[in-house]
Amino acid sequence: MTEDERIVAFLDDELDAQARAEFSERIRADASLSAQVERHRRVKTLVGSTFKPVAGEPTPQTWSDAILAVGQAGGFHPRQRAWAAMAACLVAGVLAGRLAWPTQDVLAPGARVGGEIATALDRQGSATAAPVRIGLSFRRGDGRYCRTFTSIAAEVAGLACREKDGWLAQTVTVWRAGPDTSYRQLGSSTPSAVLASVDELIAGAPLTAEQEVRARGQGWRPD
Amino acid sequence: MTPFQRDMIAMLPRLRSLARALTNGPADADDLVQLTLERALKRPDLWSPGTRLDSWMFRILRNTWIDEIRSRRRRHMVLVDTDADHVGDRGAAVVEDRLMMSDIARAMDELPEDQRLAVALVLVDGLSYREAAETLQVPQGTLTSRLARGRAALIQKLDPELLS
């Protein structure tokens, strides 16, 4: 046991009576040990006082609704597969709303897009099979080129526009291609948040394959 | 309401405070709880009656959290250049997010995942070492070591003023 392990076990009341008595004795005799114990005691208090009160806040109604909805599927028989499948449908219905866990980790509008995705935006044609899939390309009102992209491996979808110094994010969201999402059924792999952003920016029609090749040849610079 | 439902609803506040200690903000924490709930309710047959429901839920929460951290890393890898010149914009957003966090939340956020989990289970949820070790499915010595290293690291990261 390291000294820190002994200290935390002491503070958490995880030492047996004898070890506890011996350790208390050492603390009394050793000022630097005693100071470290006090720092650990303070950390314990701080962590507790920061996060424990969260448990006192009322939780969202949708959470308990989802739990109760499961019961309406015919009672709880955890070993029955059919029941579990029914529950899954209900849960999906009640908890529907967010497609995935937050978008805040994904690029903010205006952030520079780099890595594999920037390479794909530069070089790849639309609707080609590749780790990063480019959906469509179009021009904005100011003539600049924009392209949508998705990456199943990275669970991300977005729209970026080519500015002077590279591809800048317009909308980049977390995106997971579920086994039965409507995106695939529609033959499109672009989520609605990204499509909305396209609608907002597009001037005219999406580029044809020929226009795309020409734009790529010019490094995606507006004329 | 079945006993399963009652116990599950009763656990929600605990799941939420645990999630708050693991993630870096209330919105992330609630999304984590929601995804955890979704996973648990989709496959309740994976829980064995007679075993602890809280340990089962905590494990799902841990797995959901770890999966999310990994997919964030993957997204980061494909979206952002690794050379320092180009990370500026995202860097600024991270700094801004972190400014909104309390000192203790920021220090927690810097801990390795296994240490953060150990600290959260024991200091936030109040599990005993044995219970926390069982939840994480690691030997108790491993749990104690992660817990002590995590808490020693918090001392290093925190302003000495806060600790006096």
Side-chain angles (χ1 to χ4, degrees), chain A residues 9-214:
Chain A
F10 172 76
L11 291 173
D12 299 342
D13 205 8
E14 292 270 353
L15 291 178
D16 63 42
Q18 194 194 340
R20 185 173 179 81
E22 283 169 12
F23 196 66
S24 303
E25 200 51 50
R26 278 190 53 210
I27 296 172
R28 265 193 291 279
D30 182 341
S32 84
L33 175 61
S34 163
Q36 182 70 352
V37 170
E38 284 318 302
R39 284 188 287 269
H40 269 291
R41 195 192 301 279
R42 186 83 184 115
V43 162
K44 178 174 176 163
T45 309
L46 275 173
V47 172
S49 64
T50 303
F51 300 108
K52 278 184 179 172
V54 173
E57 299 167 14
T59 50
Q61 180 76 35
T62 48
W63 295 353
S64 38
D65 285 350
I67 294 168
L68 292 172
V70 167
Q72 287 160 12
F76 179 61
H77 305 291
R79 295 287 168 204
Q80 285 175 16
R81 281 297 177 85
W83 175 84
M86 260 164 85
C89 294
L90 282 166
V91 169
V94 176
L95 291 178
R98 288 192 108 121
L99 195 60
W101 197 6
T103 52
Q104 75 180 65
D105 187 54
V106 185
L107 295 184
R112 191 178 186 284
V113 176
E116 262 175 54
I117 295 203
T119 308
L121 289 167
D122 274 336
R123 301 191 193 149
Q124 226 170 274
S126 291
T128 48
V132 177
R133 189 187 154 93
I134 303 293
L136 58 94
S137 313
F138 62 89
R139 300 182 80 154
R140 231 165 40 183
D142 62 1
R144 293 201 180 274
Y145 290 101
C146 304
R147 312 190 81 191
T148 63
F149 58 87
T150 49
S151 163
I152 289 179
E155 299 178 331
V156 73
L159 170 67
C161 295
R162 178 73 197 198
E163 308 280 351
K164 271 195 206 87
D165 53 345
W167 293 96
L168 300 192
Q170 302 296 316
T171 305
V172 183
T173 63
V174 176
W175 169 72
R176 292 185 181 120
D180 52 14
T181 51
S182 51
Y183 308 128
R184 284 190 182 172
Q185 286 159 9
L186 292 170
S188 154
S189 48
T190 308
S192 54
V194 175
L195 289 175
S197 184
V198 172
D199 284 341
E200 217 171 278
L201 293 176
I202 194 166
L207 301 190
T208 62
E210 295 78 44
Q211 289 170 322
E212 215 176 53
V213 169
R214 204 174 318 128

Side-chain angles (χ1 to χ4, degrees), chain B residues 90-140:
Chain B
R90 180 58 200 145
V94 169
V95 168
E96 208 168 297
D97 284 351
R98 291 172 56 80
L99 282 176
M100 302 298 289
M101 294 163 77
S102 69
D103 291 338
I104 191 77
R106 200 175 311 135
M108 281 285 279
D109 195 44
E110 288 171 8
L111 292 184
E113 289 133 31
D114 54 2
Q115 295 178 16
R116 223 187 307 177
L117 269 164
V119 171
L121 286 174
V122 172
L123 294 191
V124 179
D125 196 65
L127 294 185
S128 69
Y129 289 10
R130 189 177 55 76
E131 291 168 325
E134 277 170 15
T135 297
L136 296 174
Q137 295 170 313
V138 296
Q140 196 168 317

